[in-house]
Amino acid sequence: MASHEIEALTQALSRLPGLGPRSARRAVLHLLKKRETALDPLLAALESVSRKLSTCGICGNVDTVSPCSICADPRREARSLCVVEEVADLWALDRSRLFPGRFHVLGGRLSALEGVRPEDLRIDSLVARIAGGGVDEVVLAMNATLEGQTTAHYVAERIESYPVRVTQLAHGLPVGGELDYLDEGTLAQALRARRPVA
């Protein structure tokens, strides 16, 4: 049996996404075995982030500074704005290095079942950013779910009066995907989004 403190650490780690009780126990054992090289640096990093953590006042990203490192980067195209549901979506798109512009995190998606209304999201601050000028294109990068698409349509309606081009991420067949393994929703979207062969 482990002490109360070690058990509390194991339970705390098991609540993280992707870690269950067994994985958390293995992680704790590793941290305890490698105290100087794993546990102490982890504790220092967690304490530092916890002390400095803030939400960017411009885009809603989570960083240790505000404005965040993306909003403060002068090499970013200020005229292109990519709207995402969550910070994890921003990080995934930014990691790909394919979008050179700036981002806006809504903080969720519209959902009648979960009681998430437009005023619960950062839609008003998005409209204010666009109204301020300097944005030519807004890319709606919502998830391909019913709630994600509902959110995208709502945002598009809210900004339709501004002189910006509104685009949306393409949905459909994944690269390397086989038709036999795809669900009907993905196939339907791929058929609706078909284009001429070049």
Side-chain angles (χ1 to χ4, degrees):
M1 290 294 287
S3 71
H4 174 70
E5 293 84 1
I6 293 173
E7 188 58 34
L9 175 60
T10 304
Q11 288 179 7
L13 287 178
S14 71
R15 287 191 291 270
L16 295 174
L19 285 181
R22 294 180 74 199
S23 298
R25 269 194 299 280
R26 284 196 298 273
V28 167
L29 285 172
H30 174 76
L31 290 169
L32 296 177
K33 278 182 173 176
K34 309 279 186 179
R35 183 176 183 160
E36 284 86 30
T37 59
L39 181 61
D40 292 341
L42 177 63
L43 288 173
L46 285 171
E47 183 182 340
S48 176
V49 167
S50 177
R51 204 173 349 111
K52 297 178 181 178
L53 190 65
S54 68
T55 301
C56 179
I58 298 171
C59 74
N61 187 16
V62 176
D63 206 336
T64 55
V65 292
S66 183
C68 71
S69 55
I70 293 175
C71 288
D73 187 348
R75 296 168 297 180
R76 292 278 183 168
E77 278 183 28
R79 298 201 158 289
S80 297
L81 191 60
C82 183
V83 181
V84 295
E85 293 176 20
E86 300 287 355
V87 172
D89 304 324
L90 183 156
W91 289 1
L93 284 166
D94 192 50
R95 197 170 45 244
S96 73
R97 302 272 186 243
L98 296 174
F99 183 71
R102 306 228 167 142
F103 292 91
H104 188 88
V105 180
L106 294 177
R109 61 182 178 257
L110 297 174
S111 173
L113 290 174
E114 296 171 12
V116 180
R117 301 162 304 172
E119 53 269 20
D120 298 325
L121 303 178
R122 299 184 71 250
I123 296 173
D124 288 340
S125 61
L126 169 65
V127 173
R129 282 181 82 178
I130 294 167
V135 176
D136 293 334
E137 180 184 17
V138 175
V139 181
L140 300 176
M142 302 344 174
N143 290 316
T145 61
L146 179 61
E147 292 88 357
Q149 295 311 298
T150 300
T151 306
H153 288 297
Y154 181 82
V155 170
E157 286 178 3
R158 285 284 307 270
I159 62 176
E160 69 184 351
S161 62
Y162 296 96
V164 294
R165 189 176 85 163
V166 181
T167 59
Q168 189 173 15
L169 292 183
H171 301 289
L173 299 178
V175 174
E178 296 184 29
L179 295 178
D180 189 35
Y181 294 103
L182 299 176
D183 62 276
E184 286 86 20
T186 302
L187 287 171
Q189 185 61 38
L191 282 169
R192 280 195 297 271
R194 63 187 183 274
R195 54 187 168 75
V197 176

